[in-house]
Amino acid sequence: MRFTAVNTSELDLTGRTAMITGANSGIGLATAKLLARQGATVILACRDPHAMRDAADQVMVAAGDASRVDQVVLDLAELSSVDATAATIGGRYPRLDILVNNAGVMAPKRQRLTRDGFEEQMGVNHLGHFALTGRLLPLLVAGEGARIVTLSSKTHAAVMDVEADIPVPRRYRPWAAYGASKLANLLFAFELHRRLVAAGHAAVSVACHPGFTSTRLTREMASSRVGVALLALVQRLLTQPAADGALPAVCAAAHPAITGGEYLGPVRLAHTRGPAGLDRPRQVAADRELAARLWERSEALTGVVYRFVQRLQPSD
């Protein structure tokens, strides 16, 4: 299966409602613009209300209709904020057709903790999105064929000691912790799809990654003048713009060929850039026992227990 940028421009999302976390910049903002341009009502969910307002102005231009752009403050590093955001969305909308779990933290040099005491990368990248998706689940299964898209990264394949790093790292190593959070994203996305299918729901869960894309996260990787210069050179040679990095997420959210359980990413240069298509995750991402253990631990840590009400199938 292969997609191109041309395909995304042909998607019709009229009447669909999409929520994107971390939509104030980078891939999240690019995804919001593309979905709005194709007719969706777009909800930006961001931690910084000022940056979100600036982003909303750009999305309104893409949408051509200010009434199709909404904003809600969301801090994935604080479970009480996740609960409040989900309640707000539930009060505004009868259903949610697309949820893009995009927001993320990448490899801070020193360990930081969320408000709830989790290592920040696992807390924001995985546990925050796990809790948000669980709180929004009734809205996601209220309609027909909702898409839950969770962004991972190629760095998930670099995790050496899965048991030591997921979901609570025994010791902090910036890139190991980041990779572990991205592997957790994949385990969650695939397990969520399996549970939706088992319950008979039409909603599907899909994972994707943006390849090597120039965003604020990659720019923050360098801390010295030499590092900044080297990173700028690498970005010019290898990275693609955020609009291209958003294509896998947009295809996962809206392309009719998606059936759930896929992992999408760019198809060129070892899946680092180019048109969107299928990628193959590391084998451990398909480990059902590991995914089930992570799921149970995530419910215990967040206090969010998923309720998959069995959907009755029509009789003949």
Side-chain angles (χ1 to χ4, degrees), residues 15 125 211 246 296:
N125 300 356
E296 292 173 4

Side-chain angles (χ1 to χ4, degrees), residues 7-226:
N7 293 127
T8 62
S9 68
E10 297 171 355
L11 299 173
D12 183 5
L13 298 177
T14 303
R16 308 280 281 178
T17 300
M19 177 174 169
I20 304 99
T21 67
N24 58 289
S25 65
I27 293 163
L29 177 55
T31 300
K33 288 180 180 178
L34 287 169
L35 295 178
R37 194 169 291 137
Q38 302 316 125
T41 294
V42 174
I43 307 166
L44 285 71
C46 310
R47 183 181 60 179
D48 184 343
H50 301 292
M52 181 166 56
R53 282 196 291 271
D54 292 341
D57 290 341
Q58 299 180 51
V59 178
M60 288 176 191
V61 172
D65 180 359
S67 69
R68 288 197 290 108
V69 182
D70 198 359
Q71 305 171 56
V72 61
V73 175
L74 168 66
D75 187 351
L76 289 162
E78 186 173 354
L79 290 175
S80 61
S81 174
V82 172
D83 293 346
T85 298
T88 297
I89 297 301
R92 293 180 185 176
Y93 299 92
R95 74 175 197 279
L96 189 60
D97 302 298
I98 298 168
L99 172 63
V100 182
N101 290 323
N102 161 80
V105 178
M106 179 188 283
K109 284 191 171 184
R110 293 179 178 81
Q111 182 172 5
R112 302 189 303 225
L113 302 179
T114 69
R115 297 286 181 87
D116 303 285
F118 308 133
E119 186 278 314
E120 187 181 40
Q121 294 178 93
M122 187 63 72
V124 170
N125 300 356
H126 168 60
L127 292 171
H129 283 123
F130 178 91
L132 178 67
T133 305
R135 295 298 189 205
L136 293 173
L137 189 62
L139 297 182
L140 291 162
V141 299
E144 291 294 331
R147 302 277 181 92
I148 300 137
V149 180
T150 301
L151 269 75
S152 182
S153 164
K154 296 290 284 183
T155 60
H156 83 274
V159 178
M160 301 302 294
D161 190 343
V162 174
E163 297 294 342
D165 289 329
I166 296 177
V168 180
R170 294 176 188 168
R171 68 185 182 90
Y172 183 71
R173 294 163 295 163
W175 285 105
Y178 179 70
S181 74
K182 295 289 102 179
L183 177 55
N185 287 149
L186 282 176
L187 290 163
F188 163 64
F190 297 151
E191 180 67 10
L192 175 58
H193 183 64
R194 287 190 289 265
R195 296 189 182 213
L196 287 166
V197 170
H201 290 295
V204 302
S205 174
V206 188
C208 68
H209 72 89
F212 196 5
T213 300
S214 180
T215 68
R216 187 177 64 185
L217 284 180
T218 57
R219 289 193 294 271
E220 290 175 351
M221 289 164 56
S223 58
S224 66
R225 290 183 180 179
V226 174

